[in-house]
Amino acid sequence: MTAPAEPSGVYISSARMYTELRSLSDGVTRVETKLDGIGRGLTDLSKDVADHESRLRTLEHAIWRAAGGAAVLGAGSGVLAQFLMR
């Protein structure tokens, strides 16, 4: 009979596996923490964007009202000028 063949391949001890698993777990925890921070930042950013959008809409309405008022005043003064020149 021949002696059993020596196993080929790589042997990883239980202690080494545990160490690698803990390292991987710590890495995942760090990534989760960073993702939570990014999520909070995006929530704050969306609130800022909504606020800026509201402010822009208010300014646009004010500009259109001012332009309409200027058009009415311009037309009125033109009519008044024609009436006074006669």
Side-chain angles (χ1 to χ4, degrees):
M1 240 195 215
T2 61
E6 201 172 300
S8 62
V10 177
Y11 173 76
I12 302 174
S13 68
S14 298
R16 180 69 181 159
M17 286 293 284
Y18 178 76
T19 303
E20 290 297 322
L21 184 61
R22 289 299 310 155
S23 174
L24 181 62
S25 176
D26 293 343
V28 168
T29 301
R30 284 191 305 270
V31 169
E32 286 175 338
T33 302
K34 288 179 182 180
L35 286 175
D36 288 342
I38 291 170
R40 282 190 299 275
L42 289 176
T43 301
D44 294 342
L45 182 63
S46 67
K47 288 178 185 177
D48 289 345
V49 168
D51 179 53
H52 290 355
E53 186 72 24
S54 173
R55 288 176 172 191
L56 284 172
R57 296 287 176 225
T58 302
L59 286 172
E60 288 172 346
H61 287 286
I63 288 170
W64 280 107
R65 278 189 237 124
V72 169
L73 284 174
S77 63
V79 169
L80 185 61
Q82 288 296 324
F83 179 73
L84 291 176
M85 292 234 170
R86 290 184 186 191

